[in-house]
Amino acid sequence: MDRIDALRLFSSVAELGSFTQASEREGITPGAASKQITALETRLQARLFERTTRSVRLTEAGAALLDRVRPWLSEYDALEEGVADARSAPAGLLRVTASVDFGARQLMRPIAAFMTLWPGVEVRLSLADRMVDLVEDGFDVGVRIGNLDDSALIARRLAPACMALVASPAYLAARGAPLHPSELAAHDVIIDRNKPAPQQLKFTRGDEIFDVRVTGRLTLNGASAAIEAAAAGVGIACSPRYAAEAALAAGRVVPLMPDWQPDHRNLWAVFPSSRYLTHRVRLFVDHLAEHFTDSV
């Protein structure tokens, strides 16, 4: 157990970049933390951290150890918790990642409700528009919109994620409103790099399916930014409906081609493949599924 505790402390120091903060998390004194890390370095015959008065950073050997020990510690914690009574109240740290737009607009309420329901759980939410490696970056759950192709992850579908095609009244007055997907090729379409194929749009009408390649003068990353750009008259945006709702309600943008539906995606909860999912992760994913009963 001393060695497991030392590895857990090592992971905390690496994550927090501070012996003091890591010792507080692990419930020991900074002096004891320093001694444990020194003993670990002696046992491994490798220096794990470069220490200065202002910072603590991993050495090459430390980074290599962290890559191997993170998933092992996660697996051990899950196994240890799985032995406990699953009916007991969950506790501990839950690391969650999501995109910036979706996390800010849609995840705050269910996370707040979950934390109220289970006060022993601490949530650390990381919002990023890059594709995060859950295993390598040490996350328990990722919330994603789109199509999944990572076979190393387990996924649970939470709800459909409907898309909206919109433009501002001023843009339509100047350029006209497209009536068929093929006409989008002649318009300025705002390109959102967060999509896997940002310049390829698919539409359906009954049994009809139409693919169109689009271009535009503005490229960005983020659904909310695309809607704001559309409201400013820059072009046409095809973004998740949740990001467009406020602008649609205010009349800043209007829906286009109501007979044609942009290809919708799905909202997923994804987590690393493991035989031993922690109780708090299972409860959190169930909680999200209950919250997102309708499309987003």
Side-chain angles (χ1 to χ4, degrees):
M1 287 303 297
D2 288 345
R3 295 191 178 191
I4 293 173
D5 290 342
L7 289 172
R8 195 185 307 282
L9 173 63
F10 161 74
S11 180
S12 292
V13 173
E15 179 184 342
L16 299 173
S18 165
F19 274 84
T20 300
Q21 293 180 37
S23 63
E24 289 176 356
R25 175 189 285 181
E26 302 302 326
I28 59 176
T29 66
S34 181
K35 287 180 180 178
Q36 280 197 39
I37 294 300
T38 299
L40 179 63
E41 290 177 323
T42 300
R43 188 161 55 245
L44 297 176
Q45 297 184 347
R47 189 169 183 82
L48 302 176
F49 294 104
E50 295 291 350
R51 306 167 176 85
T52 70
T53 55
R54 294 186 177 183
S55 67
V56 177
R57 63 183 182 84
L58 286 166
T59 63
E60 185 176 343
L65 177 63
L66 184 65
D67 285 344
R68 300 190 66 177
V69 83
R70 265 182 172 167
W72 184 87
L73 283 173
S74 177
E75 185 79 4
Y76 178 83
D77 288 342
L79 175 59
E80 192 175 60
E81 188 169 340
V83 174
D85 185 359
R87 293 170 296 179
S88 63
L93 179 61
L94 180 67
R95 298 176 179 87
V96 183
T97 179
S99 68
V100 175
D101 270 338
F102 187 83
R105 289 174 174 265
Q106 299 289 311
L107 269 187
M108 294 301 102
R109 286 178 59 195
I111 284 178
F114 186 79
M115 294 175 72
T116 300
L117 190 61
W118 305 112
V121 175
E122 174 190 350
V123 177
R124 186 165 300 153
L125 175 64
S126 177
L127 301 180
D129 287 332
R130 65 183 178 87
M131 185 59 73
V132 172
D133 186 318
L134 267 62
V135 176
E136 202 164 299
D137 294 332
F139 287 104
D140 300 302
V141 183
V143 183
R144 296 177 176 172
I145 291 178
N147 301 315
L148 303 180
D149 55 7
D150 191 341
S151 59
L153 300 177
I154 299 174
R156 178 171 174 181
R157 181 181 176 276
L158 300 175
C162 297
M163 306 292 286
L165 187 73
V166 301
S168 71
Y171 176 88
L172 298 177
R175 299 286 298 272
L179 302 177
H180 187 275
S182 61
E183 297 176 25
L184 291 173
H187 280 268
D188 273 321
V189 177
I190 298 159
I191 308 301
D192 184 353
R193 293 195 310 274
N194 277 1
K195 298 175 184 176
Q199 290 186 260
Q200 199 69 32
L201 300 181
K202 178 185 289 187
F203 295 85
T204 59
R205 183 176 65 180
D207 294 333
E208 295 181 78
I209 299 175
F210 195 93
D211 288 286
V212 58
R213 180 172 175 79
V214 296
T215 59
R217 292 185 298 148
L218 177 62
T219 299
L220 44 71
N221 63 318
S224 293
I227 294 299
E228 286 303 311
V234 174
I236 295 172
C238 186
S239 296
R241 188 180 64 188
Y242 72 81
E245 284 178 345
L248 284 167
R252 299 172 63 221
V253 296
V254 296
L256 302 177
M257 301 191 310
D259 292 342
W260 289 90
Q261 299 301 313
D263 190 32
H264 82 262
R265 297 155 189 232
N266 288 303
L267 176 67
W268 302 89
V270 296
F271 34 92
S273 176
S274 170
R275 288 182 58 196
Y276 305 106
L277 273 185
T278 64
H279 189 30
R280 59 184 175 273
V281 170
R282 291 184 187 278
L283 285 177
F284 182 67
V285 173
D286 288 343
H287 178 79
L288 291 181
E290 291 173 7
H291 178 83
F292 294 109
T293 53
D294 300 320
S295 61
V296 295

